[in-house]
Amino acid sequence: MSIGIVQFGGSNCDLDVLHVLKDVLGVDAELVWYKEEDLSRFDGIVVPGGFSYGDYLRAGAIAARTPVMNSIKALAEAGKPVIGICNGFQILTESGLLDGALTTNNYPKFKCESTLLRVETTDTPFTSKFKKGEIVSIPIAHMEGNFYADEATLSKLEDNGQVAFRYVDKEGKVTDEANPNGSQENIAGIVSAKKNVLGMMPHPERASEEILGSKDGIRIFESMMEFISKN
Ligand SMILES: NC(=O)CC[C@H](N)C(=O)O
């Protein structure tokens, strides 16, 4: 099994993901430069967080137009798992691999804090190791994480079980106070229609070891690896 971690100019969570996959999980993982056009050697891809191309135009807009994205689209079409974290989520929406858009936080500042998420579905390659409705702690760090989609897209996401994570309070309730950025319906992460592409604003790689205060994020990577080994 081999996982590619894509690097753009301005990526800054690539090495953290590499550490989690290689050192914590013992998975064969490799950094991939944005000019790479052939990703067929990989079983899955992580598009990590950061400030690709300085977030110019819109966060993720420039990275979405780089050569590596064509290969990521091909890999996703072949049913392999692709996860975009934070800036990675922004890149996946900008490239059309995921619905909606990530807009500026309702309080327009960079926010770095722990958030509680409710796992909305276990029926994805990234959430099979959770319980439905489970509340997990995974931190956010962004300025453009305010998820927006039009009404028709929102209903489609809800009806097809494509909402993976929602920001909630300690009781697991969807409230405005628990919503760190103004995302519609408190959406923190969604999957594609085929469910093999996940985008999420919180950073699971920053919640993958006890020393970081939460290990809840590691189960996202573990679920992905289990999916790969079974398929
Ligand atoms: N941690 C990140 O990936 C940063 C996300 C993004 N560039 C923002 O601030 O919105």
Side-chain angles (χ1 to χ4, degrees), residues 3 5 17-23 25-27 29 46 221 225:
I3 307 296
I5 303 163
V17 174
L18 185 69
H19 165 69
V20 169
L21 294 184
K22 279 185 97 159
D23 305 332
L25 286 180
V27 169
V46 182
F221 298 113
M225 301 318 145

Side-chain angles (χ1 to χ4, degrees), residues 122-202:
T122 54
D123 183 24
T124 82
F126 313 93
T127 54
S128 57
K129 288 199 170 273
F130 294 92
K131 287 196 195 81
K132 190 171 157 73
E134 190 176 346
I135 301 165
V136 297
S137 171
I138 303 183
I140 54 158
H142 60 251
M143 181 155 134
E144 292 175 54
N146 182 351
F147 182 79
Y148 174 82
D150 61 35
E151 282 306 318
T153 306
L154 268 186
S155 320
K156 188 193 76 174
L157 292 173
E158 301 283 358
D159 295 348
N160 295 347
Q162 288 176 247
V163 177
F165 300 105
R166 248 185 258 273
Y167 302 108
V168 291
D169 67 11
K170 280 190 202 131
E171 276 82 50
K173 290 201 189 83
V174 172
T175 62
D176 287 345
E177 292 69 42
N179 188 341
N181 51 31
S183 290
Q184 282 176 319
E185 311 297 336
N186 285 38
I187 289 173
I190 58 167
V191 290
S192 59
K194 280 174 26 188
K195 305 198 172 165
N196 64 312
V197 181
L198 167 72
M200 62 186 295
M201 288 313 294

Side-chain angles (χ1 to χ4, degrees), residues 8-11 49-56 58-63 87 90-91:
F8 302 96
S11 297
F51 290 81
S52 56
Y53 310 102
D55 280 356
Y56 277 96
R58 294 180 304 272
I62 299 174
N87 191 222
Q90 296 164 336
I91 295 166

Side-chain angles (χ1 to χ4, degrees), residues 32-43:
V32 179
W33 193 226
Y34 74 96
K35 288 188 177 169
E36 183 96 39
E37 299 203 35
D38 180 10
L39 299 182
S40 57
R41 64 188 181 284
F42 295 116
D43 303 297

